[in-house]
Amino acid sequence: MTDFLKLQDIGMSYHTMDGEIPALSHISFSLNKGEFVSLVGPSGCGKSTILNLIAGLLKPEKGTITIQNTPLEQSQVTIGYMLQKDHLFEWRTIYENVILGLEIQKKITKDRLDRVEQLLTDYGLAAFKQAHPSQLSGGMRQRAALIRTLALEPSLLLLDEPFSALDYQTRLHVSDDIGKIIKKEKQTALLVTHDISEAISMSDRIIVLSNSPATVRCEIPVILDIEDKTPMNARNAPDFKNYFNRIWKELNPHE
Ligand code: ADP
Ligand code: MG
């Protein structure tokens, strides 16, 4: 299988008034088409920096990023980015919010609007099209934010701690929800999280990062012996705690 996204030997520092802050060192990993991969690492280790590089918002100082063997800066693929805050606009209805990306990028076509309708119906927001964001629960808002991102038909979805603003209960439900949607839409996705359980429950593979400057400590394919592997069910898999303990040890090597 050829790699869809490939990072090779990425190095990156921030240059500030107080000097150089090394953020990433020799980062290499790849993603296959349709795969759901998580990046797990301590706070401040460089996870968001990696996503910003892939989104093209930052340029690496060292190394290369390619998508389908094309250097990132020449690649035509659409990349979707979902952040911790849902960035829904209160003065727009949910419908006006979910088509915002299409509007800004001048990509509104009948087919795309039909797809938005379908996504809203499939994922339980059809009745809320004319509602405003404050009328929705945190979970529904995150679903609306995901639909807005999926409306652009991204080939790659980047998720930067998208559930961390939610309380624990809601977080479990929303990550289950969002995980199912991403799988159903066969979306290639890279999730950043510092929550080990969230990573295990949602991913096909986990990349564990070290403290700052981030290096790749190890890659762990997640294979859970469970029938209907939704993020919620995955937490009940017999092997779940073994994965947890292994990743915990990788993150805390001196304990
Ligand atoms: P994470 O997402 O894993 O919490 P980040 O990628 O945001 O980590 O940050 C990695 C390191 O780079 C941290 O030490 C952070 O303080 C530093 N950093 C991030 N952005 C900037 C910036 N714009 N200028 C200077 N330092 C930064
Ligand atoms: Mg971050």
Side-chain angles (χ1 to χ4, degrees):
M1 201 176 340
T2 57
D3 302 315
F4 174 72
L5 167 75
K6 196 172 176 105
L7 278 73
Q8 277 175 295
D9 211 22
I10 298 294
M12 174 80 194
S13 300
Y14 289 101
H15 301 274
T16 69
M17 300 288 272
D18 300 328
E20 197 177 324
I21 302 173
L24 306 175
S25 171
H26 302 288
I27 297 282
S28 298
F29 66 84
S30 32
L31 244 73
N32 297 315
K33 191 95 190 125
E35 203 179 14
F36 192 120
V37 173
S38 289
L39 291 173
V40 178
S43 214
C45 80
K47 302 180 296 295
S48 297
T49 303
I50 295 176
L51 289 198
N52 283 332
L53 288 168
I54 298 169
L57 301 173
L58 292 172
K59 295 265 170 291
E61 289 180 320
K62 295 186 195 133
T64 53
I65 302 178
T66 52
I67 293 188
Q68 292 171 320
N69 293 321
T70 305
L72 182 66
E73 55 277 14
Q74 288 157 34
S75 169
Q76 299 291 318
V77 304
T78 306
I79 296 176
Y81 207 162
M82 233 179 110
L83 304 163
Q84 184 179 334
K85 282 196 66 187
D86 56 45
H87 296 286
L88 297 174
F89 293 117
E90 186 52 35
W91 65 88
R92 288 190 149 228
T93 63
I94 291 303
Y95 184 75
E96 288 165 347
N97 267 289
V98 295
I99 65 164
L100 182 64
L102 290 174
E103 215 175 281
I104 291 172
Q105 298 199 11
K106 299 196 166 43
K107 283 186 171 169
I108 292 201
T109 60
K110 181 167 184 313
D111 282 355
R112 292 199 178 108
L113 290 180
D114 286 348
R115 181 151 183 278
V116 167
E117 291 286 345
Q118 194 60 52
L119 289 168
L120 288 166
T121 305
D122 288 353
Y123 303 123
L125 289 178
F128 296 89
K129 281 197 297 193
Q130 300 313 319
H132 286 264
S134 62
Q135 296 170 277
L136 269 61
S137 67
M140 291 165 92
R141 293 176 63 122
Q142 240 0 357
R143 239 184 288 153
L146 179 65
I147 292 173
R148 180 185 54 196
T149 310
L150 294 178
L152 293 164
E153 296 172 67
S155 305
L156 173 63
L157 183 60
L158 305 175
L159 303 137
D160 195 349
E161 314 225 20
F163 316 120
S164 45
L166 306 169
D167 64 77
Y168 182 69
Q169 284 285 325
T170 312
R171 187 179 175 130
L172 287 186
H173 285 295
V174 176
S175 62
D176 189 56
D177 236 26
I178 300 275
K180 282 183 198 157
I181 297 173
I182 290 172
K183 268 276 172 286
K184 188 153 178 282
E185 301 295 323
K186 296 187 174 61
Q187 185 71 59
T188 311
L190 184 59
L191 168 76
V192 155
T193 178
H194 58 254
D195 183 327
I196 301 175
S197 300
E198 187 172 283
I200 303 166
S201 70
M202 296 185 78
S203 317
D204 299 314
R205 185 155 53 94
I206 297 174
I207 298 169
V208 183
L209 302 172
S210 71
N211 261 317
S212 180
T215 57
V216 175
R217 286 195 64 86
C218 63
E219 291 195 22
I220 302 174
V222 181
I223 301 153
L224 294 173
D225 188 16
I226 191 161
E227 253 176 42
D228 180 22
K229 201 211 154 205
T230 63
M232 199 69 97
N233 289 344
R235 291 172 189 261
N236 298 321
D239 253 357
F240 191 86
K241 65 175 185 308
N242 299 333
Y243 279 102
F244 187 97
N245 290 338
R246 182 165 167 211
I247 295 166
W248 179 268
K249 284 203 182 90
E250 292 289 349
L251 288 171
N252 302 282
H254 304 301
E255 276 185 15

